[in-house]
Amino acid sequence: MGDYRIIGRKQTKVDGLAKSLGATKYADDLFLPRMLHVKLLRADVAHARVVSIDVSAAAAMPGVHATLVGSELPEKFGILPVSQDEHTLCPDTVRFVGDPVAAVAAVDEDTAFEAIQAIRVEYEPLPAVFDPAVAMRNDVPALHDYGDDGNVHKRVSMEFGDVDGALAGADLVLDDTVFFQGNTHLAMEQHATLANPEPDGRLTVWSSTQTPHYLHKAMSKVLGLKPARIRIIACPNGGGFGGKSDPFNHELAVAALALKTGRPCKICLTREEVFYCHRGRHPVLMNSRMGLNKDGSITGLHFQSLLDGGAYGSYGVASTYYTGALQTVTYRVPVYRFDGVRTFTNKPPCGPKRGHGTVQPRFALEIQMDKAAHALGLDPAAFRLANLQPPDSVTANWLKIRTMGLRKCTEKVIEASGWNDRYGKLPRGHGLGLACSSYITGAGLPIYWNRMPHSGVQLKLDRGGGVTAFCGATDIGQGSDTVLAACVAEILGIELLDVHVCVSDTTLTPVDLGSYSSRVTLMMGNAAIQAAERARDLLADAAAEKLEVPKGRLVFADNTVLDSEDPERSMSFQQAIVFAEAKFGTIGTVGSYTPPKTPGRYRGAGVGPTPTYSYSACVVELHADEDTGRVDVDRIWIAHDIGQAINHYLAIGQVEGGVYMGLGEALMEEMAYRPRRAGVHKIPSMLEYKSPTTMEMPPVETFLIEDPDPEGPFGAKEAGQGPLLPVMPAVANAVFDALGVRVDQCPITPELIVQAMENPDKRSGPKSYPDLRIEKPVRVKTAEEGGDGYEVDQVRKKKQLARERRTDEQKTTQ
């Protein structure tokens, strides 16, 4: 029995998927089986009906323990409740090159790889679509049956105030069309998952996921197991950037095969497979019409976006709204209209990448702001400063602004870069570019709307003076474990090393919704502070009684509890725990966090709100060769409104990591497909997909602007995503300063620069914008017009009020 070590044998009950797959479970430590390795067979056609799948040859190969096909897992899944459109393995239709159709579990990776090559799949080709403008015409059959209009996944239109009137009355109207190419996350660690069927019938899964809570939800649904019998442990990620925030096919397939074989099963995707899993930045074609007065004030904005969503929904509905939501929180836009369309195409599905949905419109808007300044004869920096959205305000689309440190950020990079003395005055080929940005510090609503907390923390205090913090948040390299420990240690006055953390385990830790939307520091941090304050209160009760001093005079610092008026009256933190346990019993506390309500109540108002917004300003200095189009970035200055840095060095690392990623997106990164083999990725490897190396990374001067926000833990805001946003448009604006040409497309490649140099209008980029076929926007009065945050249409307002009541009364599960 080379594959097993037998200890004892007792058959036990199996249920759900395991039973349907013919598995037999044994308990009492019967077997310690050898781990199996899983490989997925992926479609090599972009769109086809699956006529038949023959796995017999693979199943008969030595070392193969099980095969799996789509018909065995009929339940659909997806990250959003409105887009449950994926199967673990495609049972009848494949929708992009790379869609998985079968899986094999074998004794090693080589055997599994050979086995999937032996599987025979017969396809019946179906018409495919690769262009979102074509997808809108619905000339080919719909990829899914639930979209708003055939291959239009989502079509939205919202108007806040009289935009047509504002544009008609403006002294200047700019009309710009800009394209931002899609790109991928390029995390150093590929996706990997290990599933282990426990002897008692439970299932434990370790995975490189950013959202263990939502993976747990999807796995229960697909596998047919009770949630209480599934344990998801999110391993510390070797980078995520949004790319590991969906539940994925491979995670579900490896779990199903573990149940089917009764053995631990592991899968690690190849780099090429990661490119096809994708969920990266959407390619977005944008049109922006901005009205301005001669004095430089903005009169109104009409922004349109067309997203290429790829083959599945993913976060796409939210992505669509995000391309329009945050245009109003950086600069004051008194009236605003947004039209957005996301289409399905036969390409790898797009999803959330760092700065989810806001990066593309920020690129377009910051280029347009630069153009506006020049058209009005104004300095681009002074123009931006004159138009900043004020703090403690409500935007046209009903987003609540609290603290707003963008003025200080902008002034800092202007000063550091010598902008006022150098902009427009450098030698030919050398230039400076400025851009500003904003981003959310956590989404205001959960993916599944309900009234439960977004993050929870439990503390256990032990007699040895240690504190263990339990939280479902996942560290994806941003340092959230350190932040958790720091928040607890600061409140309790103990050393960081005395706080142990237990995170990302759906069985042991309370729910945290996941590491996405720059939410963890604020939401987990506030929950941790609440739990620590409750623990401190218990300890203070016991210590005050023992020291015979008023509780309100006690201070927790340096691992000591002391009287602030008589420091000699003191005890150690460890002693305080012992006295508290004697008084109250075992000491454990909980804390949780739920964001404040948003003032917007219209349909679509759920995307964009946040407890508080962060802000960034960036100046890029570069030199560009007008003959070859080559760009070399010489230096970058960036200032980020962080509220309050909890860990200065972690925050600097996050900011500069965003700069690095932004530089890659600005100059070279793109998801490109072969022109003669539609749907096949052109460069699915790190040898060919270009990203900056240390040779391309310039010196970066980083400034953290601290203005504590009342909503943040100790005043903190996010730093993980926002600093990326201004980098790309700052590069584009610097190219204009260097060569006098506009590149209205990203990445800003040498070919586009040369093309702009040769064009009479000194511009390169998209030439036209398609009709989005918007019939009637949702109309909402602005606060300045006396609006209440609801739609003007009273019938729709009543429906929204009814939806809110149902949410309050009925939604009790996530």
Side-chain angles (χ1 to χ4, degrees):
M1 298 288 291
D3 287 344
Y4 297 94
R5 179 161 63 89
I6 302 177
I7 298 176
R9 186 168 181 141
K10 176 182 176 184
Q11 189 166 331
T12 189
K13 181 182 177 182
V14 295
D15 61 2
L17 179 72
K19 185 174 182 180
S20 70
L21 295 176
T24 302
K25 274 287 188 192
Y26 294 95
D28 297 338
D29 294 325
L30 320 157
F31 294 92
L32 294 180
R34 179 177 176 180
M35 184 177 73
L36 301 177
H37 294 262
V38 175
K39 285 290 183 182
L40 302 182
L41 177 65
R42 298 180 181 272
D44 59 2
V45 291
H47 196 198
R49 187 173 70 86
V50 179
V51 177
S52 64
I53 301 179
D54 183 0
V55 299
S56 57
M61 292 178 64
V64 172
H65 282 254
T67 61
L68 194 69
V69 295
S71 60
E72 298 176 79
L73 298 162
E75 192 70 44
K76 292 182 179 181
F77 70 94
I79 185 64
L80 301 185
V82 296
S83 301
Q84 301 282 304
D85 58 3
E86 297 186 63
H87 285 95
T88 306
L89 302 168
C90 300
D92 46 35
T93 305
V94 295
R95 295 176 174 86
F96 70 98
V97 174
D99 229 355
V101 294
V104 167
V107 293
D108 54 46
E109 279 194 287
D110 290 342
T111 302
F113 182 76
E114 290 176 11
I116 62 171
Q117 305 307 308
I119 297 173
R120 294 292 171 257
V121 184
E122 181 183 351
Y123 294 111
E124 178 186 310
L126 295 172
V129 60
F130 303 101
D131 184 337
V134 175
M136 280 197 302
R137 300 202 301 260
N138 289 321
D139 295 337
V140 300
L143 272 67
H144 299 282
D145 60 6
Y146 72 92
D148 282 356
D149 177 22
N151 282 317
V152 172
H153 177 203
K154 191 66 181 175
R155 179 180 278 119
V156 300
S157 180
M158 300 177 288
E159 184 172 23
F160 308 89
D162 182 8
V163 175
D164 287 343
L167 295 180
D171 295 322
L172 172 67
V173 176
L174 295 182
D175 190 332
D176 291 293
T177 299
V178 178
F179 178 64
F180 198 106
Q181 179 60 278
N183 50 64
T184 198
H185 313 85
L186 214 67
M188 292 181 68
E189 175 205 40
Q190 295 117 273
H191 299 252
T193 303
L194 169 65
N196 183 47
E198 305 290 352
D200 60 4
R202 300 172 191 262
L203 176 70
T204 301
V205 177
W206 294 263
S207 193
S208 54
T209 177
Q210 295 176 232
T211 53
H213 170 67
Y214 291 118
L215 176 59
H216 184 260
K217 190 177 187 71
M219 200 159 283
S220 175
K221 179 185 179 186
V222 171
L223 301 183
L225 292 176
K226 294 179 180 179
R229 297 184 183 179
I230 300 173
R231 180 183 183 186
I232 306 294
I233 301 171
C235 306
N237 286 197
F241 314 114
K244 296 169 183 173
S245 52
D246 281 74
F248 281 96
N249 311 81
H250 66 272
E251 293 171 312
L252 298 162
V254 76
L257 283 165
L259 293 174
K260 189 173 185 177
T261 62
R263 292 170 176 250
C265 289
K266 178 184 177 181
I267 188 168
C268 182
L269 301 190
T270 65
R271 180 61 61 178
E272 182 174 0
E273 286 182 293
V274 174
F275 272 90
Y276 284 113
C277 283
H278 192 37
R279 316 304 160 114
R281 187 91 65 218
H282 285 72
V284 183
L285 181 66
M286 296 159 284
N287 179 261
S288 182
R289 296 178 65 228
M290 180 187 291
L292 300 117
N293 290 322
K294 291 179 181 178
D295 64 1
S297 59
I298 299 170
T299 66
L301 178 65
H302 184 185
F303 195 88
Q304 295 184 297
S305 61
L306 175 59
L307 293 77
D308 183 346
Y312 292 100
S314 184
Y315 285 82
V317 172
S319 307
T320 307
Y321 280 107
Y322 269 127
T323 58
L326 301 193
Q327 270 76 310
T328 59
V329 303
T330 310
Y331 308 111
R332 186 177 182 278
V333 179
V335 293
Y336 176 55
R337 175 169 172 172
F338 167 62
D339 304 323
V341 169
R342 184 184 193 261
T343 64
F344 290 121
T345 58
N346 294 110
K347 290 188 278 189
C350 298
K353 184 186 175 184
R354 199 174 195 168
H356 179 202
T358 67
V359 169
Q360 304 94 320
R362 180 55 47 190
F363 180 75
L365 191 61
E366 287 299 314
I367 290 175
Q368 190 168 59
M369 289 291 287
D370 217 59
K371 292 178 180 180
H374 283 274
L376 294 168
L378 301 172
D379 175 76
F383 172 62
R384 285 174 168 83
L385 288 171
N387 279 288
L388 295 182
Q389 178 71 28
D392 299 312
S393 61
V394 175
T395 68
N397 57 335
W398 292 89
L399 299 177
K400 174 63 178 174
I401 309 297
R402 291 180 171 85
T403 57
M404 205 275 195
L406 185 52
R407 180 173 299 279
K408 291 181 181 178
C409 289
T410 306
E411 291 171 345
K412 193 67 178 179
V413 295
I414 288 172
E415 177 189 5
S417 64
W419 174 275
N420 292 332
D421 297 325
R422 302 172 66 219
Y423 180 70
K425 303 170 186 176
L426 297 178
R428 175 75 173 173
H430 294 256
L432 292 173
L434 168 68
C436 300
S437 68
S438 54
Y439 196 63
I440 61 175
T441 305
L445 290 170
I447 290 173
Y448 287 77
W449 287 14
N450 56 74
R451 301 176 68 183
M452 288 186 283
H454 293 212
S455 186
V457 170
Q458 293 177 326
L459 298 183
K460 178 186 74 69
L461 281 65
D462 66 65
R463 299 173 189 178
V467 178
T468 303
F470 299 85
C471 182
T474 304
D475 198 316
I476 58 173
Q478 85 280 38
S480 62
D481 288 359
T482 301
V483 170
L484 173 60
C487 288
V488 173
E490 180 70 17
I491 295 298
L492 296 179
I494 59 178
E495 295 181 54
L496 199 62
L497 290 177
D498 290 334
V499 181
H500 307 273
V501 297
C502 177
V503 295
S504 313
D505 186 322
T506 59
T507 294
L508 298 183
T509 63
V511 168
D512 179 273
L513 296 182
S515 293
Y516 63 91
S517 294
S518 279
R519 56 178 299 285
V520 176
T521 290
L522 186 139
M523 298 193 183
M524 175 198 72
N526 278 326
I529 288 172
Q530 185 182 78
E533 287 175 340
R534 289 171 173 172
R536 184 181 62 187
D537 191 59
L538 291 174
L539 269 57
D541 276 344
E545 182 179 298
K546 201 72 178 176
L547 295 173
E548 298 180 338
V549 300
K551 177 181 173 182
R553 283 178 19 198
L554 292 180
V555 174
F556 287 67
D558 298 325
N559 281 74
T560 304
V561 182
L562 54 91
D563 181 358
S564 59
E565 296 184 6
D566 181 9
E568 295 301 316
R569 282 175 166 256
S570 65
M571 66 176 64
S572 70
F573 181 77
Q574 179 184 357
Q575 288 174 317
I577 294 175
V578 171
F579 292 134
E581 188 168 338
K583 181 178 178 66
F584 299 111
T586 301
I587 304 299
T589 59
V590 297
S592 59
Y593 178 77
T594 302
K597 285 189 175 182
T598 173
R601 313 308 299 167
Y602 55 90
R603 191 171 183 86
V607 176
T610 182
T612 185
Y613 297 92
S614 71
Y615 293 90
S616 304
C618 176
V619 170
V620 168
E621 181 174 355
L622 56 75
H623 61 275
D625 189 300
E626 56 188 312
D627 295 321
T628 66
R630 172 174 170 159
V631 170
D632 289 286
V633 176
D634 301 313
R635 194 172 188 85
I636 293 176
W637 296 265
I638 188 161
H640 181 64
D641 166 26
I642 194 169
Q644 175 68 54
I646 291 177
N647 184 304
H648 186 85
Y649 293 106
L650 282 177
I652 291 286
Q654 287 295 290
V655 173
E656 295 186 358
V659 170
Y660 164 81
M661 184 172 281
L663 191 62
E665 294 194 31
L667 296 175
M668 60 190 75
E669 294 191 36
E670 58 180 332
M671 285 284 285
Y673 298 88
R674 298 181 185 179
R676 296 184 182 179
R677 183 80 192 280
V680 177
H681 204 294
K682 187 177 180 181
I683 44 176
S685 78
M686 292 183 74
L687 289 174
E688 301 159 298
Y689 182 95
K690 300 303 180 187
S691 65
T693 67
T694 54
M695 300 299 291
E696 287 81 36
M697 189 64 184
V700 178
E701 192 168 353
T702 302
F703 306 98
L704 298 182
I705 304 301
E706 294 185 315
D707 179 14
D709 190 288
E711 286 295 326
F714 308 113
K717 297 184 181 183
E718 72 88 33
Q721 301 190 61
L724 173 145
L725 274 74
V727 177
M728 294 77 81
V731 170
N733 293 335
V735 168
F736 174 76
D737 187 43
L739 298 175
V741 298
R742 291 288 182 188
V743 179
D744 291 344
Q745 187 165 322
C746 194
I748 303 160
T749 62
E751 294 84 356
L752 288 172
I753 293 175
V754 170
Q755 186 182 109
M757 295 292 298
E758 295 173 350
N759 288 341
D761 61 355
K762 299 300 179 184
R763 174 193 178 272
S764 61
K767 303 295 184 184
S768 61
Y769 199 81
D771 181 5
L772 297 185
R773 302 193 322 200
I774 302 296
E775 295 181 0
K776 184 182 179 182
V778 170
R779 297 188 185 277
V780 182
K781 284 186 178 181
T782 67
E784 292 182 1
E785 295 175 315
D788 58 4
Y790 287 93
E791 299 172 35
V792 172
D793 187 319
Q794 292 300 304
V795 174
R796 293 173 67 95
K797 178 178 178 178
K798 289 179 181 178
K799 290 181 178 179
Q800 179 64 16
L801 286 167
R803 277 193 294 269
E804 291 175 8
R805 283 194 296 271
R806 287 195 299 272
T807 299
D808 288 344
E809 295 169 2
Q810 298 173 7
K811 290 232 174 185
T812 57
T813 61
Q814 285 184 298

